[in-house]
Amino acid sequence: DGGITQSPKYLFRKEGQNVTLSCEQNLNHDAMYWYRQDPGQGLRLIYYSQIVNDFQKGDIAEGYSVSREKKESFPLTVTSAQKNPTAFYLCASTYGRAYNSPLHFGNGTRLTVT
Amino acid sequence: SQELEQSPQSLIVQEGKNLTINCTSSKTLYGLYWYKQKYGEGLIFLMMLQKGGEEKSHEKITAKLDEKKQQSSLHITASQPSHAGIYLCGAPRKTSYDKVIFGPGTSLSVIP
């Protein structure tokens, strides 16, 4: 079955460490997205990528980095520069342009940094 | 401030009751998506609305986009415990059609 796989589901890290969240899709979608979800704040866009080897900053990109070396993969690195990294992270993808093609989401990774 | 507002923030209804969730934008929307989320899980796509006045239904859920394309409503008829979750509206930004923003969500509980 086609879908978006995020791993791991739960991740624990010590403050000061970088951590990479995995996102893989087999939907043959061109665009991929990373969102962060905090209680009561909905989803906030971190980074998005329309094609391989290209990506754009979202609204809260500081302290995060991404790469898009393959169409199927869009890993997110949470660096030690991110002041409040504890959150629920969601990866999404879409086939066409987001204004006429809904995003499909993975099941998320809950990151806890202590 | 949120570019998409949702009301109410939370809702508790008795099973069998009807309910409505609203999503409002201060700017014209270029499409509006409704999603449902179970706690700790990803978002499930419900419906997409693009034209002013458009209305779509799926099972007991109906969504409508107003003529001005600044407000959408999600209506659930005869609610069931399976409808419980967080409902989020999302929309592409006018300045960048590839950026999708989301409202803060409405938490729905259905009491059997």
Side-chain angles (χ1 to χ4, degrees):
Chain A
D1 288 337
I4 301 174
T5 301
Q6 290 188 244
S7 60
K9 189 168 179 62
Y10 299 97
L11 197 49
F12 297 89
R13 280 294 182 270
K14 294 289 187 184
E15 193 174 325
Q17 293 178 335
N18 292 352
V19 60
T20 298
L21 281 61
S22 171
C23 178
E24 302 277 334
Q25 55 99 358
N26 60 3
L27 299 166
N28 198 32
H29 284 175
D30 294 309
M32 297 186 74
Y33 297 75
W34 275 106
Y35 287 89
R36 168 182 173 142
Q37 187 176 31
D38 296 281
Q41 294 197 45
L43 276 65
R44 291 184 289 168
L45 182 62
I46 305 173
Y47 269 98
Y48 63 106
S49 167
Q50 296 300 116
I51 57 173
V52 173
N53 293 323
D54 188 41
F55 46 82
Q56 288 75 43
K57 293 182 178 180
D59 298 318
I60 56 166
E62 185 176 349
Y64 298 98
S65 66
V66 293
S67 63
R68 187 86 188 275
E69 297 177 359
K70 298 187 299 182
K71 187 176 184 177
E72 314 80 55
S73 177
F74 192 40
L76 173 74
T77 296
V78 184
T79 75
S80 57
Q82 168 51 230
K83 295 188 181 342
N84 297 296
T86 295
F88 189 52
Y89 291 88
L90 287 158
C91 179
S93 69
T94 187
Y95 181 72
R97 304 296 297 276
Y99 68 87
N100 64 3
S101 180
L103 303 184
H104 297 259
F105 283 84
N107 278 328
T109 292
R110 187 167 297 279
L111 174 64
T112 302
V113 178
T114 58
Chain B
S1 64
Q2 295 279 1
E3 293 184 43
L4 288 177
E5 301 287 344
Q6 285 188 238
S7 63
Q9 183 177 355
S10 63
L11 201 51
I12 302 173
V13 300
Q14 199 79 34
E15 182 176 358
K17 296 294 186 184
N18 302 336
L19 64 105
T20 299
I21 297 169
N22 295 302
C23 176
T24 304
S25 172
S26 58
K27 303 173 183 176
T28 301
L29 296 167
Y30 290 84
L32 192 287
Y33 302 121
W34 281 103
Y35 287 86
K36 178 185 175 185
Q37 183 183 30
K38 290 286 191 182
Y39 180 76
E41 298 181 8
L43 278 65
I44 303 298
F45 171 69
L46 295 175
M47 276 173 275
M48 174 175 69
L49 304 166
Q50 291 185 292
K51 300 176 183 177
E54 186 176 9
E55 183 173 310
K56 288 188 177 179
S57 295
H58 177 67
E59 296 180 343
K60 294 185 178 180
I61 301 177
T62 299
K64 184 173 181 178
L65 184 61
D66 74 342
E67 291 290 344
K68 289 185 177 180
K69 295 174 68 176
Q70 286 187 272
Q71 184 170 359
S72 178
S73 60
L74 184 83
H75 184 78
I76 298 177
T77 303
S79 58
Q80 301 169 351
S82 60
H83 288 129
I86 301 170
Y87 289 83
L88 298 101
C89 61
R93 268 208 181 122
K94 181 179 180 180
T95 52
S96 171
Y97 294 141
D98 297 310
K99 277 188 176 181
V100 179
I101 58 170
F102 286 85
T106 294
S107 177
L108 171 64
S109 300
V110 180
I111 303 172

